[in-house]
Amino acid sequence: MNSISSPFPVNAFTSTEYHLQLSTVTGFFQQDDNATDPDRFDYASSNLGLINRTYPSDLLFDPTGTKTQWQRFEHFVRKLDANPGNSVHYKVLFVGRHGEGYHNVAEAFYGTPAWNCYWSKLDGNGTITWSDAHLTPTGIKQALNTNAFWRHALSEAKIPAPEAYYTSPLDRCVATANLTYADLPLPHSCPFRPIVKELLREALGVHTCDRRSTRSAIRAAHPSVTFEPGFPEQDPLWVPELRESTSHHTERLRALLRNIFATEPGMFVALSSHSGSIAAMLRALGHRPFPLQTGGVIAVLVRADRAPGPAPVVPVDPPVPAPDCGSGVVQK
């Protein structure tokens, strides 16, 4: 597609024979609970929000009570998914927001109204550049903090290492994934090999920070990445005049998740994405809103039910133009 005025086929990755209905399974993570304040949530000190509780499989798996909470949770979830011929499957998503980027700094400096109506359309301001925004030093530090969390969690909490890694093609997400998972003591069976997924990117259009670089430039900057099949050289989705609607964004992320469930055999999956796309992902899963700070991470237990017939067509709103600045909005 050349313009988001022609909606992306958001019901892709389904067949005429069946479709996947995705939903959040609650009761296992603090972030599922309405009593958990996202502004006070600390993924590192809360064990990624995993609730301290028992599971039906504990009696046989951990009769002496020596296993960690994550070991018991992993065993429980794998047993849920183990029935042959089951039409229900589960995955645990480790969803991370990229570290602070230069576009975040610019929006904070100019204010959101001026950013949305004027500055976000530019490549930069002559001092900093935010087109396909890179990480700031603070963003790099946030990603390294997440790396330290994983290093400790793998050895002490016995959290299962991701079995697959997916990232948005935008530089700040690829860089965050590399800093987060590189050089960790990962199992040989599950090495860090990030796969770039086009649909995992931020809301489309207008904002140059959300316009991706060419495939060649991404490869040159991040040689370790793998591109999903058919990933094109040029950005096919971003346009300067129109911004993707919220409902279209949600259905795009639903299509992405259906694709991952249909093609990814791993149960524990890491995703490096953006605030808006994580919000869209959670809406698609029926999860409560849970905004993340830059560099933040949450875990989500997802159930996929295989339902007969093609996926229902969900109406989506058309894209919208950037807001008009009016008078007096752009002050700096």
Side-chain angles (χ1 to χ4, degrees):
M1 96 188 222
N2 295 319
S3 168
I4 56 173
S5 60
S6 300
F8 187 88
V10 292
N11 287 304
F13 311 124
T14 62
S15 72
T16 57
E17 299 178 359
Y18 74 93
H19 66 280
L20 297 177
Q21 296 176 338
L22 305 176
S23 59
T24 299
V25 184
T26 60
F28 296 92
F29 292 98
Q30 296 173 27
Q31 47 269 29
D32 305 332
D33 188 345
N34 288 329
T36 302
D37 182 355
D39 292 334
R40 296 176 178 272
F41 179 76
D42 180 354
Y43 72 87
S45 63
S46 68
N47 206 17
L48 275 182
L50 186 63
I51 295 172
N52 184 14
R53 52 160 291 181
T54 60
Y55 309 111
S57 56
D58 283 350
L59 185 60
L60 293 178
F61 177 67
D62 187 26
T64 60
T66 57
K67 304 293 186 183
T68 70
Q69 188 71 48
W70 270 105
Q71 286 175 311
R72 292 188 291 109
F73 174 71
E74 178 187 5
H75 179 76
F76 169 71
V77 175
R78 291 195 186 280
K79 283 187 66 67
L80 283 179
D81 202 62
N83 296 329
N86 197 353
S87 62
V88 179
H89 292 284
Y90 298 85
K91 290 189 189 301
V92 177
L93 306 182
F94 299 124
V95 185
R97 183 184 176 188
H98 61 78
E100 181 189 75
Y102 283 101
H103 65 307
N104 300 126
V105 174
E107 182 175 354
F109 178 74
Y110 292 113
T112 298
W115 171 256
N116 284 337
C117 72
Y118 180 75
W119 293 102
S120 66
K121 303 175 187 177
L122 307 180
D123 286 349
N125 61 5
T127 301
I128 62 173
T129 299
W130 53 71
S131 60
D132 192 4
H134 289 206
L135 295 178
T136 67
T138 296
I140 292 172
K141 182 178 179 181
Q142 290 170 335
L144 291 175
N145 287 342
T146 309
N147 176 278
F149 160 77
W150 273 100
R151 189 172 300 276
H152 181 267
L154 287 167
S155 63
E156 299 301 322
K158 305 299 182 184
I159 187 172
E163 296 162 280
Y165 302 84
Y166 295 99
T167 177
S168 158
L170 296 173
D171 189 86
R172 56 197 183 269
C173 283
V174 183
T176 296
N178 285 334
L179 291 168
T180 296
Y181 297 108
D183 301 322
L184 289 176
L186 299 171
H188 292 298
S189 59
C190 301
F192 173 60
R193 292 176 180 164
I195 300 172
V196 176
K197 301 286 280 186
E198 190 83 89
L199 297 192
L200 196 48
R201 59 198 287 183
E202 187 57 292
L204 304 170
V206 181
H207 296 192
T208 64
C209 60
D210 302 327
R211 181 185 64 211
R212 75 160 168 86
S213 299
T214 63
R215 175 179 173 137
S216 299
I218 297 169
R219 166 70 72 195
H222 306 285
S224 65
V225 301
T226 298
F227 294 95
E228 65 181 339
F231 190 88
E233 173 68 11
Q234 302 295 330
D235 185 343
L237 302 180
W238 186 90
V239 294
E241 304 88 4
L242 296 169
R243 189 75 168 161
E244 184 177 28
S245 68
T246 298
S247 58
H248 189 281
H249 198 177
T250 302
E251 293 310 308
R252 173 163 62 88
L253 269 294
R254 193 190 312 276
L256 179 279
L257 291 170
R258 281 174 171 160
N259 171 247
I260 289 175
F261 262 86
T263 61
E264 173 53 57
M267 174 171 284
F268 292 84
V269 178
L271 304 171
S272 180
S273 192
H274 310 262
S275 60
S277 286
I278 293 170
M281 192 184 307
L282 296 182
R283 288 193 299 270
L285 294 173
H287 192 287
R288 62 175 289 230
F290 203 87
L292 297 182
Q293 302 296 321
T294 52
V297 187
I298 60 170
V300 184
L301 175 58
V302 181
R303 169 176 170 151
D305 290 82
R306 182 166 168 153
V313 176
V314 178
V316 295
D317 296 321
V320 295
D324 184 358
C325 278
S327 59
V329 175
V330 181
Q331 301 291 333
K332 300 176 183 179

